[in-house]
Amino acid sequence: MTRIVQGTPVKEIVGQLRQAKGYYITNTARDLSQSDFKNRILLHTDLLAAPSREAANYFSLEITGGASIHVDILRKQVDPFLKLRKLREKMPDTMFQTLCRGINLFGYRPYPQNVIRATVREFAKYVDVWRTFDFLNYVPNMIAVFEEVERAGKLNEPCLCFSTGPEHTNDFYLAKAAEIIAVTGEDITLCIKNHGGLGTPVRIGQLVDALKQKYPDVIVHYHGHNTDGNDVGRIVEAVRNGATIVDAADAAFTGFYGPPPILTVVQTLREFGIEPACLNEDAVIETSDVIREERQHYAQFESQIKGFQPTVQIHKLPGGAMGSSLEQASKGGFLDRVSAILHKELPRVQKELGNYWSVTPGSQILWTTAVSNVLDGERYGNPSGDLRNLLLGKYGPFPFYQPEEWIYEKVLGENWREVLKEEGGLEKSADIDLGHERYALAEAIGSEPTDEQLILYLQHPNDAVDYFKFEEKYGQVYVLPPSVFFRQGGFAPGEKIAFRDCHGKEHMIEIGPSPITDTGETSVYETVDHHQVIYTFKAKAVQGVAGSDATLSKEEILDLAQAGDVRSPFSGNIVEITVEEGQEVMVGDRVAIMEAMKMQTPILAEMAGIVTGIIAKKGDALKPGSKILKIDKN
């Protein structure tokens, strides 16, 4: 059977898949990185793996999209477009695949139509397969992506997000498939996106069979997670019932919450007489041999809770959210309460909010709501702005049933019916002036931005600007291996660090000496490949208690707000200040928007008056009690 290579026309791809005798494999390296390593796998590691992954003859390599684009610029200081170009140099034939959240693109909330289309056009220059989903399975939210992917001549892979419960029947999913095919036609690959690793093998087999019986010419691609340790069983039943493509990953990096190992899938299906199409098993083994030693340097990003979680069938938290949620619990000091959140409150919230699909951004809404309900002790007493938008229908209609009235009242207030009538409905963001956005970015970075920089800025404005400034100051750091990039504990004076970059070139870093001058300043000498740089640090001032931010309780923050002193109610970043000095505000008016845990929350005025001072600005990282702005009575 001939390998499908990047650049093959869509009709030829689909035609070859329809004639396949066995099954194809997608290596979901991006999903593995997100689920088991908090999206921290570096380009350096992927470049080491690239030659053997290229030789493995996969259907596709999922290597971008989802949360990875944000984490690339935020935590790994690498350009997502540069990553794709560098990998393409080493992988000329492999189709690259992305995960796209429909109107949420690679972010966490809806974008204007012209931003969606511009983003897809730019990434489609590098990405061959577009796996697109909507967390409410609301097909209109995916249409703009479908259209631009088709225009670019790339392969559409629409998703049926899968979950369990009495509402999640074959009839429901067949109806959704009909909606999708009415838009895209049958020259697609249709993905069953089992992001939580839910259901039994039998249940997945039944769904695949139902889809193939109704749409025999539509290619089914099964994607799942191994959170409960049972995804190999689901894959086997998917293939036996007609799925043509399945997802798995490199054994050396597989863990608990991502995809299962490729060879385990192959060996199990071989017992049923089913062989993978084109797969080079020696290259699969070689990939793990090449990158195995890299894993130790990512240990700090592995889950705080080890082991499989069969209870995912209860709480339904997706693999991609497990690591980040547990990290939040660890940093927030409530890891000991995770069991109560996962096994009691989260399933309860899931049912109360409509039993929709726990995948971004819906999974963040469910998780943050459950956490707040448990930690604050008052259910729905501290709703996020995104929960409010969900109830207002800003993301789309609830697929099965709406929450009970008391939840609307708790979140939207006593006059919730009026609020729902005035503000409810799908959020239709007007097109923005891309020329104006380009000018704003140029002002922020001091140079004319490229089209790729503009796209990243449109997705994550504050973090993109910070990344562009970092790259201008420090250069491209993707050549650093994880042993250096993620090194913990600092560097000792006199230490020498030898490493080989992803191109095989040897490097040497020498630290020190570090003399202290008469003025108390410290000069640190750093030599990289015989090029010396001296960094001078001023003597550290002794900090007194005066002027330091006091720790304020939730009640104290509210009391201050009612007196016009608006403070941050939690740790987070300022997304926007929505008022100006001299502006009159009423009680309940939005004065700022803050973001934490990927969720945006409006900050409302608790006192009527005039805004007389704005202390915080867009992009500021605030702690609970940090000052935002001042309101004085008229």
Side-chain angles (χ1 to χ4, degrees), residues 31 35 194-197 223-228 231 234 257-259 319-320:
D31 209 349
S35 300
N194 191 5
H195 42 273
H223 161 81
H225 284 246
N226 203 33
T227 306
D228 65 347
D231 208 50
R234 288 185 285 264
Y257 307 134

Side-chain angles (χ1 to χ4, degrees), residues 172-383:
F172 174 84
Y173 288 114
L174 288 172
K176 281 295 169 185
E179 283 187 58
I180 290 170
I181 292 168
V183 175
T184 63
E186 293 192 356
D187 286 343
I188 58 172
T189 51
L190 182 65
C191 179
I192 298 173
K193 181 173 170 55
N194 191 5
H195 42 273
L198 302 178
T200 64
V202 169
R203 176 70 189 98
I204 295 300
Q206 290 171 343
L207 179 56
V208 173
D209 180 62
L211 288 167
K212 292 300 291 184
Q213 295 232 17
K214 186 168 184 180
Y215 300 105
D217 289 336
V218 172
I219 303 302
V220 174
H221 186 161
Y222 173 76
H223 161 81
H225 284 246
N226 203 33
T227 306
D228 65 347
N230 202 23
D231 208 50
V232 174
R234 288 185 285 264
I235 289 172
V236 167
E237 287 305 302
V239 172
R240 294 182 69 197
N241 282 277
T244 307
I245 317 168
V246 296
D247 286 1
D250 297 299
F253 270 68
T254 48
F256 304 113
Y257 307 134
I262 293 163
L263 281 184
T264 305
V265 170
V266 172
Q267 292 160 358
T268 305
L269 278 166
R270 185 163 287 148
E271 289 294 303
F272 292 92
I274 307 173
E275 293 290 334
C278 307
L279 188 70
N280 181 341
E281 293 179 42
D282 289 338
V284 174
I285 295 169
E286 181 183 330
T287 303
S288 283
D289 289 342
V290 168
I291 63 176
R292 182 169 286 109
E293 291 303 311
E294 297 267 295
R295 181 166 182 161
Q296 61 184 308
H297 306 298
Y298 295 105
Q300 60 186 297
F301 303 115
E302 295 197 53
S303 174
Q304 282 78 6
I305 297 177
K306 302 294 190 292
F308 293 111
Q309 284 202 30
T311 55
V312 70
Q313 305 299 332
I314 299 170
H315 61 71
K316 302 181 181 180
L317 192 66
M322 283 299 305
S324 58
S325 298
L326 294 175
E327 181 180 36
Q328 178 208 339
S330 178
K331 291 181 177 179
F334 60 92
L335 196 60
D336 60 324
R337 306 190 72 179
V338 162
S339 181
I341 294 169
L342 287 180
H343 303 145
K344 294 181 180 178
E345 186 60 22
L346 190 54
R348 188 178 176 189
V349 168
Q350 180 109 35
K351 290 180 181 177
E352 289 172 345
L353 295 184
N355 197 22
Y356 65 78
W357 297 268
S358 182
V359 63
T360 305
S363 54
Q364 282 89 345
I365 296 173
L366 294 169
W367 168 257
T368 54
T369 301
V371 169
S372 177
N373 288 354
V374 170
L375 298 188
D376 294 345
E378 181 185 358
R379 303 192 74 241
Y380 299 97
N382 186 26

